[in-house]
Amino acid sequence: FGVALAGTGGGKFFINFAFALLGHMRGGPAKVSVISSGMMGSLSGSVVTNVLTTGVLTIPAMKRVGFRRDYAAGVEACASTGGALMPPIMGAAAFLMAFVLNIPYSTVVVAAIIPSVLYYLALFVQIDAYSARNDLKGLDPVELPRLSTVLKQGWYFVFVLVVLIIFLLYFQLEARAPFYATALLLILNRINPEDRLSLKGFGDFIVDSGRLFAELAAVVAAVGMIIGSLTLTGKIGTLSYEL
């Protein structure tokens, strides 16, 4: 789902949405980085995809209004990393938590809401203080996209997000919800001529998805081996008790 989101222009939609809301504020581009990375990360669950999708636009914009290049990169890295904590998709660790603790994935999602919001709130406040101390302005409102235009062009991303949350929390279809959401996203993508996937783009989507699955399989296999060895040796109960 995260790969499909990036390929169909989801990253651009979230960035434009954040620019329309916050771009004019002091330190606006950095705040845009926080909001857009949080929104993109909440659906992709991938830190690297998040940086590659949003960072290419937010980092140059931050440098343009006076942020140091290392600070701009740090803001984007922190904002993208938080995407793995932000419901509803989050990173692979969330699925492992549900599996190991033997609880519904929806329980992990709900539990993650408060800490993830606090993470982004802390980042937002730090950036605002840094911008005030260094007198960093926002972008000229003339340069920014209109919110109504952004929502008109990318309304289906919001719609798919709502559908995904309903499948996850109401119908409890944790394993199948992202596949349904991906299919819906690819269908709705045909409506938008600007970001419509070409045949080559669809091929890239298949290849990138396979690469991501391979990475996840390696992580899950390694964790499974650790859990299995602790269970078979009887150490998992002792370890939990000591902790």
Side-chain angles (χ1 to χ4, degrees), residues 85-88 90 94 97 101 103-118 169:
L85 313 171
M86 179 66 77
M90 302 191 284
M97 288 169 65
L101 298 174
I103 58 176
Y105 179 71
S106 56
T107 304
V108 179
V109 169
V110 172
I113 292 174
I114 293 177
S116 60
V117 169
L118 289 176
L169 300 183

Side-chain angles (χ1 to χ4, degrees), residues 14-208:
F14 291 128
I15 289 172
N16 287 337
F17 179 77
F19 267 119
L21 281 179
L22 305 169
H24 63 283
M25 299 173 67
R26 66 183 178 197
K31 294 174 180 176
V32 167
S33 173
V34 171
I35 300 302
S36 61
S37 296
M39 295 176 71
M40 181 68 183
S42 70
L43 295 178
S44 71
S46 171
V47 176
V48 176
T49 301
N50 208 348
V51 172
L52 293 175
T53 307
T54 59
V56 292
L57 292 177
T58 58
I59 292 175
M62 282 187 268
K63 287 162 63 179
R64 220 177 94 201
V65 299
F67 282 91
R68 299 194 323 268
R69 61 179 62 195
D70 58 329
Y71 191 91
V75 167
E76 179 58 42
C78 290
S80 295
T81 301
L85 313 171
M86 179 66 77
I89 295 296
M90 302 191 284
F95 293 92
L96 294 174
M97 288 169 65
F99 173 74
V100 173
L101 298 174
N102 195 27
I103 58 176
Y105 179 71
S106 56
T107 304
V108 179
V109 169
V110 172
I113 292 174
I114 293 177
S116 60
V117 169
L118 289 176
Y119 178 94
Y120 278 102
L121 179 62
L123 195 57
F124 192 92
V125 170
Q126 289 181 57
I127 288 168
D128 186 64
Y130 180 88
S131 302
R133 187 169 68 244
N134 293 278
D135 195 28
L136 299 172
K137 308 297 184 186
L139 295 170
D140 189 338
V142 178
E143 302 178 55
L144 301 174
R146 294 178 61 86
L147 185 60
S148 57
T149 305
V150 173
L151 290 174
K152 184 179 178 182
Q153 292 174 342
W155 61 269
Y156 59 93
F157 292 113
V158 179
F159 178 69
V160 170
L161 171 60
V162 172
V163 170
L164 179 63
I165 292 173
I166 291 172
F167 275 128
L168 282 173
L169 300 183
Y170 183 74
F171 292 107
Q172 305 261 319
L173 298 173
E174 293 93 346
R176 285 174 285 171
F179 292 100
Y180 294 150
T182 301
L184 179 61
L185 179 59
L186 292 175
I187 292 169
L188 292 176
N189 174 252
R190 310 308 299 170
I191 299 173
N192 188 357
E194 186 178 343
D195 293 309
R196 188 178 295 161
L197 271 181
S198 62
L199 191 61
K200 180 181 180 301
F202 187 75
D204 292 339
F205 161 68
I206 298 296
V207 172
D208 291 341

